[in-house]
Amino acid sequence: ADCRAGGIGARSCRCDQLFLTTKIPLCAVDGEVVGLACLGRDMTHAYEELSPYMEMNQALEYVRTHYADSIRIEDLARLCGMSFSQFERRFRKTFHISPLQHITQVRIRAACNLLATTHDTIAAIALDVGFYDNSHFSRAFKKVMGVSPSLYRK
């Protein structure tokens, strides 16, 4: 692409750069536009900075929508086009927790919502959010939230 297309005529323009610009009209007291302020931000490296998060997006979305189901880390890795060990390593590097810890946190947040908004039993809520053992749910809940599910509900 030619940077001078459209009559800009910038001689030292690099076509591999990306800038986000915002233009704001400057108005006089009577409301007449008397100038234009332009803010620009170099976004060239934004993709590189967001890339680790973006490559995990399918796995994150899957966990968000399927937290109540049985989720295998191997399946999340496959969604992202990675091996199990590569996925585990990149996930830890990006989010500073393991994929399993993330799944548990998503389930616990969903349980918090149900504890606060329903009168379902704790055992029913545990099943609804993907825990198949009530005692495991209670231990995980207390580890994440610092209190038991029954105390949280109060």
Side-chain angles (χ1 to χ4, degrees), residues 40-124:
R41 181 171 182 188
D42 184 354
M43 300 297 288
T44 306
H45 301 288
Y47 178 80
E48 294 167 9
E49 293 171 13
L50 293 174
S51 180
Y53 301 97
M54 290 170 42
E55 72 181 0
M56 296 293 169
N57 192 50
Q58 282 187 286
L60 296 173
E61 184 64 21
Y62 185 87
V63 171
R64 189 182 70 75
T65 58
H66 294 88
Y67 63 83
D69 302 331
S70 177
I71 300 174
R72 295 174 0 116
I73 306 304
E74 294 86 354
D75 296 335
L76 297 177
R78 196 173 305 112
L79 278 172
C80 295
M82 299 178 203
S83 69
F84 173 87
S85 57
Q86 184 182 35
F87 176 77
E88 179 94 18
R89 190 171 48 254
R90 286 189 184 177
F91 196 97
R92 280 183 185 275
K93 183 178 180 184
T94 302
F95 300 108
H96 307 289
I97 59 172
S98 73
L100 188 57
Q101 287 171 312
H102 173 68
I103 293 166
T104 300
Q105 288 179 1
V106 169
R107 288 175 171 164
I108 296 299
R109 282 195 303 268
C112 287
N113 182 48
L114 292 173
L115 286 166
T117 60
T118 71
H119 295 289
D120 295 347
T121 66
I122 291 172

